[in-house]
Amino acid sequence: MGYIELNVLNAPATTPSTLALGIDLGTTNSLAAIWKDGRPVVLHPEGKSGLVPSVIHFPPDGMPIVGREARDHAVADPRHVIFSIKRFMGRGLADMRPELASLPYQASESDNGLIQLEVQGRKYTPEQLSALILMRVHDLACRALGGQDVRKCVITVPAYFDDTQRQATRDAARLAGLEVLRIVNEPTAASLAYGLDQRDKGNVAVFDLGGGTFDVTVLTIEDSVFRVLSTAGDTHLGGDDFDQLLAGLARAELGPLYGDELLGDPGFQQAIRLGAEQCKIALTNDPEAELRVVIPAKRISWRRRIEREEFEALCAPLVERTISACRQALSDAKLEPGEIDEVVLVGGATRMPCVRERVQRFFGRKPHTELNPDEVVALGAAVQANILMGGRRDMLLMDVTPLSLGVETMGGAVSKIIQRNSTIPCEATEGFTTYVDNQTGLDFHIVQGERELAHDCRSLGRFQLKGIPPMPAGMARVAVKFHIDADGVLTVGAKELGTGKSAVVEIQPMHGLTDAEVERMLKEGFAHAREDFDQRRAADLKIEIGTMVRATESNLNAGRAGLDRESVHDLEEAMEHAKQACSGSDLKALQKARDEFERATLPLAALLMNNVAQKALMGRKLGDV
Ligand code: AMP
């Protein structure tokens, strides 16, 4: 996967006419920043922290509560508190089964295959829940701006978010009443916050360990243009997993005291989780801390001291997983650790001393920690928002598509319309036509991937173009346009050029893709290249034979009288062989049958041409020709 950023030369150096927010919509916390007095600043309403925990509490009656207060309800009312909703964005139930097992609330699937969570007897989509978080962030930001209602914004998403997940983020913003100027990748935003775009040349590694996800991205800067060389990571590794290590320790010691039944109680679990996180944070500052589980209502108050060294020994395998991903990202980027010039730390969990030390040892250089790792992405989003509002900083961010996009054609092959690694925004159009006479509709199946046959690619959606006027096969002209906007969101439109009939698809894929899945799809594309090519060729030959059979059948009766018996016999036999070859998928047999069929059609073709020429010449003198 790669991302490049385009340097826009001579961008006008104007003062922004209006304001736009930069919003980091995080798994654990969300935050807004804005460009002010020539630099990005985090918005702190009434001098308080602007960090909004991405947590929602649904009281039995009344409005949902978002943020710190919602998180405080986690212990007393765990069934009505929602955490980490970002993981569910644009995902189907099947993708999320492992996660769902540990959640204290019900999940179901909507008609279009996307997840819904049930709280207080009502179903909510991840977009609706994220919208609640965005509304809270927006509300605090406006208060910090003295009551100004700023609705334009840039929102960040992980680099590995696919079209569906980006679209879900946009939808959430729309539900919150916000206007999204652009969706920006988090590592790119972090680089902008550190002003790394000011460097002429160099390689940057952005190491992002948040609450629930981890990713590392390698970017290169050349002539002030950023290009993302690779990204690797683990969507199920974050600060929460470090909490779980301490929670496991607590559970092991609490089990014999309180019994398994109480340990399984959701309130008890949340209390352990919160106690574990507090202890982890304390161990960042102190060499020793207390692991506490306190539930006043149940008269439980348990404590145990733990040294940082003991915690770090527990953490080592998790930290090593982040380093393996760094190795992977570097190897994909074809760089050695020593060739990285800048290392940027993002995400609250990078505050842990053992993480910092290990990253520094791996890259052989001190990472950037000058900016608050919780704020750096929002600050970068504010830099981007300022650029989009016409402010200075001659940098426009652009991405590339990680996988090719296309449509299934007759016979199950894929016609790739936008090739992988195309710079976005981009647009491409391809012509299609009808396959049989008087066909009045066309079915389009949109797929994503590098394989040659549609059933080996990822299905993104289907739609129909109806109302094509009846005409002979191959006469209709249908233009299919793929458009990917700057946020990586795909719109596909089909238009019959004669009548102007058109249809546009709203893509609601059932499953999101992780970066690991993208990589798997790319590798499979390479591994199966030969066999895919053969299968595709076989599919194309079947279509070609089908067209030849129809043309022969409709012309043979008229031409029979003008042909000798042997030619007619050869043609009928070759056509029969070709039809038989189409019932299998043997490429050599198909090729041979097609070639023989074509040869056998030559006398008929010559006769038809002759008839046409004679008709055309009738009544004309030689000199006219
Ligand atoms: P983020 O998703 O970037 O907001 O990161 C949140 C994660 O950072 C959570 O797992 C927090 O527990 C963790 N975190 C925040 N502050 C600290 C700290 N001082 N030490 C260790 N982890 C922290």
Side-chain angles (χ1 to χ4, degrees), residues 259-324:
D260 287 345
E261 203 180 313
L262 189 58
L263 275 192
D265 176 74
F268 201 76
Q269 283 181 19
Q270 294 278 30
I272 293 179
R273 216 178 94 124
L274 291 178
E277 186 182 9
Q278 276 162 10
C279 176
K280 173 189 74 175
I281 291 175
L283 285 169
T284 290
N285 303 320
D286 305 313
E288 198 182 86
E290 207 168 55
L291 176 56
R292 267 179 292 217
V293 179
V294 182
I295 313 176
K298 292 196 163 69
R299 295 174 173 234
I300 292 173
S301 176
W302 176 88
R303 286 144 212 269
R304 175 216 202 267
R305 290 207 76 73
I306 179 162
E307 288 185 3
R308 189 192 281 165
E309 229 170 281
E310 186 185 351
F311 174 56
E312 289 185 347
L314 286 175
C315 297
L318 292 182
V319 178
E320 282 316 306
R321 270 167 68 190
T322 67
I323 297 300
S324 308

Side-chain angles (χ1 to χ4, degrees), residues 108-324:
S108 58
E109 209 162 48
S110 66
D111 292 344
N112 56 8
L114 295 172
I115 249 171
Q116 287 179 316
L117 299 179
E118 196 170 329
V119 211
Q120 297 287 20
R122 279 197 58 188
K123 288 180 178 163
Y124 297 89
T125 62
E127 288 89 326
Q128 288 170 325
L129 296 167
S130 294
L132 293 173
I133 298 169
L134 284 171
M135 281 187 224
R136 174 75 179 149
V137 172
H138 174 250
D139 181 48
L140 290 181
C142 293
R143 271 201 256 163
L145 289 167
Q148 272 191 80
D149 187 8
V150 179
R151 291 197 171 254
K152 287 188 167 59
C153 65
V154 163
I155 302 185
T156 56
V157 295
Y160 55 78
F161 256 30
D162 69 358
D163 296 342
T164 330
Q165 293 166 302
R166 283 163 201 263
Q167 184 59 49
T169 307
R170 274 187 162 263
D171 289 345
R174 207 189 54 229
L175 289 173
L178 298 175
E179 182 193 333
V180 179
L181 298 174
R182 180 158 301 180
I183 301 280
V184 170
N185 291 322
E186 289 159 9
T188 310
S191 303
L192 276 177
Y194 274 110
L196 301 183
D197 52 310
Q198 313 287 329
R199 273 187 78 117
D200 282 346
K201 221 173 169 49
N203 298 317
V204 184
V206 181
F207 181 102
D208 182 349
L209 187 62
T213 58
F214 165 66
D215 52 81
V216 54
T217 306
V218 178
L219 306 103
T220 187
I221 315 164
E222 231 176 274
D223 300 330
S224 303
V225 177
F226 274 121
R227 195 156 53 91
V228 177
L229 298 179
S230 61
T231 128
D234 189 332
T235 46
H236 293 92
L237 175 61
D240 299 354
D241 297 289
F242 291 77
D243 302 345
Q244 280 308 319
L245 295 173
L246 291 172
L249 203 74
R251 256 185 244 113
E253 295 187 14
L254 282 162
L257 296 176
Y258 296 101
D260 287 345
E261 203 180 313
L262 189 58
L263 275 192
D265 176 74
F268 201 76
Q269 283 181 19
Q270 294 278 30
I272 293 179
R273 216 178 94 124
L274 291 178
E277 186 182 9
Q278 276 162 10
C279 176
K280 173 189 74 175
I281 291 175
L283 285 169
T284 290
N285 303 320
D286 305 313
E288 198 182 86
E290 207 168 55
L291 176 56
R292 267 179 292 217
V293 179
V294 182
I295 313 176
K298 292 196 163 69
R299 295 174 173 234
I300 292 173
S301 176
W302 176 88
R303 286 144 212 269
R304 175 216 202 267
R305 290 207 76 73
I306 179 162
E307 288 185 3
R308 189 192 281 165
E309 229 170 281
E310 186 185 351
F311 174 56
E312 289 185 347
L314 286 175
C315 297
L318 292 182
V319 178
E320 282 316 306
R321 270 167 68 190
T322 67
I323 297 300
S324 308

Side-chain angles (χ1 to χ4, degrees), residues 401 418-419 422-428 482-486:
T401 54
I418 291 183
Q419 299 292 333
S422 300
T423 307
I424 58 170
C426 61
E427 198 171 274
F482 273 50
H483 174 85
I484 308 183
D485 69 15

Side-chain angles (χ1 to χ4, degrees), residues 62 114 124 161 220 233 243 371 376 456-457 462 534 542 585:
L114 295 172
Y124 297 89
F161 256 30
T220 187
D243 302 345
L371 295 172
V376 60
D456 293 323
C457 289
R462 292 173 188 269
D534 289 354
K542 287 185 194 178
S585 287

Side-chain angles (χ1 to χ4, degrees), residues 6-26:
L6 201 74
N7 190 7
V8 179
L9 297 170
N10 309 321
T14 55
T15 315
S17 52
T18 41
L19 296 173
L21 300 172
I23 300 179
D24 170 10
L25 181 59

Side-chain angles (χ1 to χ4, degrees), residues 572-585:
E572 284 177 335
E573 194 177 55
M575 183 159 67
E576 206 41 49
H577 283 163
K579 282 183 185 169
Q580 275 167 17
C582 284
S583 59
S585 287

